[in-house]
Amino acid sequence: MSELAPRRLRQLGELSVDQLRHVGQRRVAALRELDVESILDLLGYYPRRYVDRTRRVDVSELTIGDEAAVYGTVATVRARRTRQGRSMVEATIEDGAESLDVVFFNQAWRSRQLVVGAQVLLYGRVVEYRGRRQLTNPVVDVVVGASADERDAGRVGRIVPIYPALGKAGLTSWEMGGFVEESLRRAGPLLDPMPDWVLAENDLVSRTQAYRAIHRPAALEDAERARRRLAFDELVRLQLLLALRRRRLERESSGLVQRADVRDLDVGPGEVGGSLLRQFLAGHRFQLTGAQRRVLGDILADMASPVPMHRLLQGDVGSGKTVVALAAMMITVDHHRQAALMAPTEVLAEQHLASIRADLAGLRVADEAVLGGSRPLNVQLLSGRLRVAQRRSVLEQVARGEVDVVVGTHALLSEDVTFRELGLAVVDEQHRFGVEQRALLRAKGAQWSQLGAEPDLLVMTATPIPRTAAMVLFGDLEHSVLDELPPGRVPVTTAWAQTAADEARSWQRVRDEVALGHRAYVICPLVEESERVAAAGAVEEHARLSAGALEGLRVGLVHGQMASAAKEAVMQAFRTGELDVLVATVVIEVGVDVADATVIVIEDAWRFGLAQLHQLRGRVGRSDLVSFCYVFGAPPADDGRQRLEAFVACDDGFALAEIDLALRGEGTILGVRQRGRSDLRLASLTRDADVLAMAHHVAGRLVEADLRDQAALVDELRLFVGDEEAAYLFKS
Ligand code: ADP
Ligand code: MG
């Protein structure tokens, strides 16, 4: 490594760590345990935190009961066994004049880790034992080992970086710091792939500065500025890739031009004639909400354009996504094409079928083949549970184009399904499907469509994804939000029943509401083991309630182990009011729509995630009736308690999604995303929302201005995406 042109990350990725002076066979192996093989990996192994050694807590100031971080030198170490035969390691840590006792139980290896003379950082709760302050089983970071060559006093600065998870590799933060420092020194300046205007406009430090300061900051503020720049790099790479993918899709795919008259969206109730879209809206029970009207405007423009529509429609439960989807479907049927709606469960598909048939009843489609030139609009179900003959018959009708709207589960994606010409695919409750299914749908769509033109795609979700996460997860989709509920909705009264008396009052409420002619859901606990175990639990709960708290009411049961027809029969009985109460497992989590349902009781509610709880609550409050949601259960841990408290306090799905993100971190949200080098290591969707917005904006401008002038940046993107993806994104 000599003084040459500024280095690219790719070059650092080609240099093995064994080029470093103190890295031999043994340390190469140790570093490999941390997935660090190249100099690039090493520079990307960021400190977990920093200790400001001039501001550490004085041992003499520690108070009993505090959580404390203590920095000091190991003075003594002794291993022994307690009288009960447990292993015990006792050490003393010195900090200037003071010393502190540290005790580890059942961690015999600590006597090898804590060598006299080593400098360590300990985290733990201060307790008192025989009149002395003591830390028991604290978390340990060995910062500087004990051997002479590690105690180059000149190197330890005021701020010491602490690297994560070194214990398993048998390395110290000091050693890591040494490797990084040597790498940075010998690498010299790093090439900054960002144009100057990006750095200037966004107040970002240079890449060289950033890598230096994240590993060896002179002050904590420098580390934060460095982190911000490196987080920006992660996010801008991701946003660039999404923008490129979207542009590629737009260029590659020829879509269908499906125009509609925008005036049809404002048709008055009861007006007759005109396009199917117009007839559907005129005959619909409700006036569109402002949000529905606006989103339909977006969709109309998308469908009229030759670029295939890829739109994500987000709307809280009950915001009326189905009507929007149906209106879009009418546009495609107006063009003599077919529409498909894919739902995540059989129950939902069946419910959609029933409500869509009702909503579209009376509409007629022009058809030369039939006498009189028109026939009723035909809606069919394609689910995995159809009998063979029935399924074959539906498939044939679909292939011949005699079915206009096909409702189904992922059975729609199976090999033997062929459309005459699919014009629009709608995916309901998208979060229940994987990213792969969306890709498969796209691919199949093109195959199903005339001349390989891609059908328009609308994906809908009621899991309000925080805006930041949506930018990362669905950056290749356009984005509309239904941010308004239909008029007359009354917020659901939510309460957490924490005592037996509270629970009794909840059951009384169920009885009162039923007496008023309304209906109630009881959701059984979520069981991790299997749907079979969950079903057994629901059967038991159904029996218990029927003979106890809900005796005398007509109580039905539905769970995932029941045959489709049996399930549908129960749902139907509940819908029509032959049943008062429905005991269910989470099979009814999404989409079920019974307007007269006004109470929902959720047992062991802490087992559910916030988004799921909100979905469940969305089963009630679907009309202008006052509704109630009761959550039961005693959370065994703090996070469950925090979730329930937030749930009771907040009725807004988007706000809850933000809270969920803050409580659980992004891991769960990003879990579905492909893992790879482009992963977010430093960037946090909650903490760096502003950096993300910045990255999104910058990526848009760069792609628009054409990346061909940005060779270094393109080279770096290729490095981070892998060959196949790069070949696709950058082929000219
Ligand atoms: P979601 O967005 O949760 O899928 P739905 O499409 O099931 O919501 O709609 C929820 C309820 O609101 C349904 O009963 C539907 O008929 C009703 N609804 C939809 N749009 C309107 C509207 N514009 N005015 C009044 N009620 C509406
Ligand atoms: Mg829905």
Side-chain angles (χ1 to χ4, degrees):
M1 295 190 234
S2 60
E3 294 298 316
L4 290 167
R7 287 180 197 264
R8 299 177 172 211
L9 294 189
R10 179 184 294 284
Q11 294 169 298
L12 299 181
E14 284 159 0
L15 294 171
S16 159
V17 285
D18 67 10
Q19 305 223 348
L20 295 171
R21 245 184 308 142
H22 295 294
V23 177
Q25 288 282 308
R26 194 178 60 79
R27 280 167 163 172
V28 166
L31 287 167
R32 189 172 301 134
E33 289 224 10
L34 306 173
D35 289 326
V36 172
E37 300 192 357
S38 69
I39 299 295
L40 177 62
D41 298 335
L42 184 66
L43 295 187
Y45 200 87
Y46 301 118
R48 168 174 60 187
R49 56 177 151 245
Y50 306 88
V51 195
D52 184 339
R53 301 194 320 146
T54 62
R55 293 185 46 199
R56 64 182 186 257
V57 187
D58 230 324
V59 169
S60 62
E61 288 167 8
L62 293 179
T63 317
I64 309 296
D66 277 357
E67 279 283 346
V70 179
Y71 191 86
T73 306
V74 179
T76 67
V77 185
R78 193 163 72 101
R80 64 182 182 92
R81 293 209 162 266
T82 65
R83 251 173 278 152
Q84 294 81 34
R86 288 209 287 171
S87 100
M88 178 171 168
V89 173
E90 294 169 305
T92 48
I93 305 299
E94 279 181 355
D95 165 34
E98 295 272 341
S99 81
L100 175 73
D101 293 341
V102 184
V103 181
F104 298 92
F105 293 102
N106 292 329
Q107 301 179 22
W109 57 279
R110 293 288 188 190
S111 62
R112 293 186 300 281
Q113 183 194 31
L114 299 175
V115 179
V116 172
Q119 294 179 31
V120 294
L121 184 63
L122 305 170
Y123 301 86
R125 193 177 294 284
V126 182
V127 296
E128 191 174 48
Y129 184 72
R130 295 199 174 145
R132 277 180 59 86
R133 280 164 303 204
Q134 169 183 306
L135 290 177
T136 309
N137 290 344
V139 175
V140 179
D141 279 311
V142 176
V143 181
V144 183
S147 71
D149 59 47
E150 287 183 4
R151 266 180 294 155
D152 166 9
R155 220 192 81 202
V156 182
R158 183 164 79 83
I159 310 285
V160 181
I162 305 295
Y163 291 92
L166 296 183
K168 67 169 178 177
L171 292 166
T172 63
S173 279
W174 172 260
E175 289 171 297
M176 279 304 269
F179 304 153
V180 169
E181 189 163 306
E182 184 187 340
S183 304
L184 284 171
R185 183 162 37 80
R186 289 173 60 194
L190 304 176
L191 183 78
D192 201 320
M194 277 299 147
D196 290 339
W197 65 261
V198 174
L199 304 188
E201 279 182 20
N202 297 293
D203 191 25
L204 293 167
V205 299
S206 78
R207 174 166 279 176
T208 311
Q209 262 175 296
Y211 274 110
R212 285 192 179 144
I214 194 127
H215 288 288
R216 245 204 115 185
L220 287 177
E221 303 81 72
D222 296 344
E224 177 49 30
R225 283 171 66 79
R227 197 194 69 79
R228 193 175 148 82
R229 165 63 206 266
L230 294 168
F232 173 81
D233 284 358
E234 292 177 355
L235 292 167
V236 87
R237 278 194 290 261
L238 203 61
Q239 292 299 312
L240 279 168
L241 292 172
L242 289 167
L244 286 168
R245 202 171 295 161
R246 186 155 74 191
R247 197 182 55 169
R248 189 89 248 176
L249 282 170
E250 284 170 7
R251 292 216 175 138
E252 299 245 302
S253 42
S254 60
L256 302 163
V257 175
Q258 313 195 79
R259 282 189 221 286
D261 188 341
V262 68
R263 283 168 303 186
D264 285 352
L265 295 182
D266 302 311
V267 63
E271 289 183 39
V272 286
S275 67
L276 280 173
L277 172 65
R278 191 176 140 92
Q279 292 176 48
F280 165 68
L281 291 176
H284 196 64
R285 289 164 290 161
F286 316 107
Q287 186 75 25
L288 293 178
T289 63
Q292 285 169 327
R293 168 67 183 76
R294 178 170 46 74
V295 169
L296 274 172
D298 294 345
I299 289 175
L300 207 88
D302 282 356
M303 291 183 72
S305 132
V307 175
M309 170 165 82
H310 293 134
R311 185 167 289 276
L312 172 69
L313 172 56
Q314 275 189 274
D316 209 343
V317 277
S319 58
K321 294 183 289 297
T322 317
V323 176
V324 172
L326 284 177
M329 288 180 180
M330 291 308 96
I331 296 177
T332 223
V333 177
D334 269 324
H335 286 267
H336 307 289
R337 299 195 178 102
Q338 295 161 291
L341 173 69
M342 187 161 85
T345 64
E346 305 278 341
V347 169
L348 256 193
E350 281 152 20
Q351 174 186 292
H352 268 312
L353 177 78
S355 75
I356 289 175
R357 276 190 173 153
D359 276 341
L360 302 182
L363 294 179
R364 296 186 70 82
V365 185
D367 189 341
E368 309 274 284
V370 287
L371 223 49
S374 79
R375 56 163 175 81
L377 194 146
N378 189 0
V379 185
Q380 294 294 338
L381 177 72
L382 202 56
S383 88
R385 308 210 183 181
L386 290 187
R387 278 189 306 269
V388 178
Q390 220 178 347
R391 177 179 162 83
R392 191 178 315 127
S393 148
V394 173
L395 283 177
E396 282 167 10
Q397 293 177 56
V398 173
R400 284 200 300 267
E402 293 163 10
V403 178
D404 306 292
V405 175
V406 185
V407 179
T409 57
H410 54 271
L412 281 174
L413 295 175
S414 56
E415 284 293 318
D416 55 352
V417 180
T418 341
F419 287 79
R420 187 178 64 80
E421 192 177 10
L422 186 68
L424 172 71
V426 179
V427 182
D428 194 19
E429 309 296 350
Q430 131 83 30
H431 61 288
R432 301 284 299 264
F433 293 102
V435 179
E436 319 77 48
Q437 276 160 316
R438 200 171 85 214
L440 185 61
L441 186 68
R442 242 179 219 180
K444 285 222 72 162
Q447 189 184 314
W448 285 331
S449 176
Q450 248 173 32
L451 305 169
E454 223 182 273
D456 287 320
L457 175 67
L458 178 67
V459 299
M460 310 197 291
T461 178
T463 297
I465 301 158
R467 232 176 53 80
T468 51
M471 267 159 93
V472 170
L473 268 178
F474 300 119
D476 55 342
L477 294 171
E478 300 290 337
H479 197 164
S480 300
V481 180
L482 282 181
D483 50 7
E484 176 187 351
L485 292 180
R489 293 291 161 79
V490 191
V492 177
T493 306
T494 305
W496 178 5
Q498 305 204 38
T499 63
D502 289 345
E503 291 188 2
R505 269 193 294 279
S506 309
W507 296 125
Q508 187 53 47
R509 173 76 70 187
V510 171
R511 306 184 71 94
D512 292 348
E513 286 295 309
V514 168
L516 292 170
H518 305 154
R519 262 151 287 158
Y521 296 101
V522 178
I523 307 301
C524 295
L526 188 67
V527 184
E528 299 292 339
E529 293 85 7
S530 72
E531 184 57 38
R532 199 172 49 73
V533 180
V539 170
E540 227 169 80
E541 187 62 3
H542 175 254
R544 199 178 68 86
L545 290 173
S546 306
L550 303 181
E551 199 187 343
L553 305 186
R554 296 167 301 170
V555 184
L557 171 68
V558 62
H559 60 69
Q561 292 295 99
M562 288 162 60
S564 178
K567 235 171 8 188
E568 189 37 46
V570 175
M571 293 303 299
Q572 189 58 23
F574 184 65
R575 239 175 252 133
T576 56
E578 287 162 51
L579 289 172
D580 305 313
V581 181
L582 188 63
V583 174
T585 55
V586 283
V587 292
I588 67 139
E589 174 200 342
V590 287
V592 171
D593 187 18
V594 176
D596 288 345
T598 54
V599 198
I600 184 164
V601 174
I602 308 172
E603 301 187 349
D604 277 358
W606 52 270
R607 290 180 188 271
F608 297 93
L610 264 180
Q612 214 175 7
L613 284 173
H614 187 62
Q615 277 281 342
L616 286 168
R617 175 164 57 189
R619 295 317 104 216
V620 299
R622 298 178 79 80
S623 64
D624 53 4
L625 298 170
V626 177
S627 296
F628 307 88
C629 172
Y630 298 106
V631 289
F632 284 14
D638 276 354
D639 59 327
R641 171 163 290 274
Q642 285 169 331
R643 271 205 305 279
L644 290 189
E645 280 167 358
F647 179 64
V648 169
C650 176
D651 194 29
D652 174 339
F654 281 88
L656 283 173
E658 298 285 353
I659 294 171
D660 209 22
L661 183 62
L663 284 180
R664 293 194 302 170
E666 37 257 43
T668 40
I669 288 191
L670 296 179
V672 290
R673 212 162 47 80
Q674 242 172 304
R675 300 242 141 241
R677 266 183 141 169
S678 56
D679 254 354
L680 306 181
R681 291 174 171 221
L682 282 175
S684 144
L685 296 183
T686 32
R687 185 164 156 198
D688 297 315
D690 63 322
V691 182
L692 175 58
M694 197 160 105
H696 183 74
H697 174 76
V698 167
R701 276 174 71 182
L702 287 170
V703 169
E704 204 170 305
D706 201 337
L707 281 183
R708 261 175 302 193
D709 307 333
Q710 308 289 345
L713 193 53
V714 170
D715 182 56
E716 194 165 306
L717 288 173
R718 287 174 171 279
L719 174 65
F720 280 88
V721 290
D723 297 339
E724 206 178 307
E725 175 90 356
Y728 170 70
L729 290 178
F730 297 108
K731 83 180 160 197
S732 44

